[in-house]
Amino acid sequence: MCRELVARQLDEQIVARFPVGRRLRALDVGMGDGAQALRLARAGHEVTGVERDAAALAAARAATATEPEGIRSRMRIVEGDGRDTGVHFPPGSFDVVLCHGVLPYVDEPDALLAGLGRVLAPGGLLSLVVRNADALAMGPALRGDWSGALAAFGTDTYRDPSGAVARAHRLDATTAALAGIAAPLRAWYGVRVFTGAAVPPAGGADFEALLAAEERAGRTDPYRAVASLLHVCGARD
């Protein structure tokens, strides 16, 4: 569900920023299994994905291999760390840069952001997805874990589903960081405002209604401020 919501929000920003039909140069840092990168390649864009996890790389390559030649030719997969963008790409190489779910896991998020800003072209769009530090108590509370909810107040870290400790981010600090790399905030959305542990199966009427409710809440105050995730978009004008 998160992917569908973020994809719709990203499409909205791309359509608002770039002429219809323009083939964009896109970079997906921490591409995972390649779902977002392939979606952009299917839309006609030239896409480079960077990933260091072996299992994710294998999944991305396998998914790309099933696509028609025209789409495969627009996909490039680079094995590497997102912090090493300066090694792989010259400044201003990409019109759209994605970094979804990566910042919580890096030791030096400011250095990673600086690298993303370096490869962003003039007029480019930067899309970040991070955990919302101002709503860390919501997840445990929705599961009925009241001790966990109380412990989450005032912290900037959380345990992901695998049990790993990760970092959460606050909107004001992220906004300041975007200004610091000359890609000031253009728009932000909440992702997963209402969704707790139970999510209806994809494709059903209940799932479509949930998507519609989440999409509406993710762009509406005060709901978006308590979303589990923040989708933050900066632009270099």
Side-chain angles (χ1 to χ4, degrees):
M1 184 196 71
C2 292
R3 285 179 174 175
E4 290 92 338
L5 290 169
V6 171
R8 293 182 186 188
Q9 295 159 358
L10 180 62
D11 286 347
E12 178 178 80
Q13 292 302 313
I14 288 174
V15 167
R17 187 151 194 87
F18 301 103
V20 175
R22 175 177 167 182
R23 178 170 290 186
L24 302 173
R25 303 163 298 164
L27 173 67
D28 189 353
V29 173
M31 69 184 298
D33 62 8
Q36 289 282 18
L38 276 171
R39 192 183 64 81
L40 290 171
R42 293 186 194 111
H45 305 303
E46 301 284 346
V47 185
T48 299
V50 176
E51 179 58 61
R52 67 176 181 178
D53 180 76
L57 277 169
R61 286 169 174 152
T64 301
T66 66
E67 297 288 335
E69 170 59 27
I71 295 173
R72 294 200 307 271
S73 68
R74 293 195 292 273
M75 277 286 296
R76 177 190 176 198
I77 297 176
V78 175
E79 182 175 0
D81 193 301
R83 292 168 293 186
D84 298 330
T85 52
V87 175
H88 301 293
F89 315 113
S93 298
F94 298 99
D95 305 301
V96 179
V97 176
L98 283 61
C99 186
H100 295 172
V102 176
L103 287 173
Y105 296 98
V106 298
D107 294 332
E108 298 179 348
D110 290 343
L112 174 56
L113 271 177
L116 301 180
R118 178 180 176 276
V119 298
L120 188 66
L125 177 70
L126 174 61
S127 171
L128 307 175
V129 176
V130 296
R131 188 68 181 264
N132 184 6
D134 289 322
L136 288 178
M138 291 294 292
L142 289 170
R143 297 191 297 270
D145 176 8
W146 306 115
S147 296
L150 287 169
F153 285 101
T155 183
D156 289 332
T157 61
Y158 66 99
R159 289 194 179 273
D160 71 9
S162 74
V165 176
R167 181 187 298 102
H169 292 76
R170 301 186 190 280
L171 179 62
D172 55 357
T174 305
T175 299
L178 288 174
I181 61 169
L185 182 72
R186 176 182 177 87
W188 71 277
Y189 307 86
V191 180
R192 290 191 64 178
V193 176
F194 302 127
T195 312
V199 178
D206 286 347
F207 182 78
E208 292 304 319
L210 171 59
L211 269 183
E214 285 281 3
E215 187 171 29
R216 178 73 175 271
R219 61 182 70 238
T220 303
D221 292 324
Y223 303 102
R224 62 179 179 166
V226 296
S228 294
L229 305 173
L230 299 175
H231 180 196
V232 182
C233 298
R236 175 157 294 161
D237 293 319

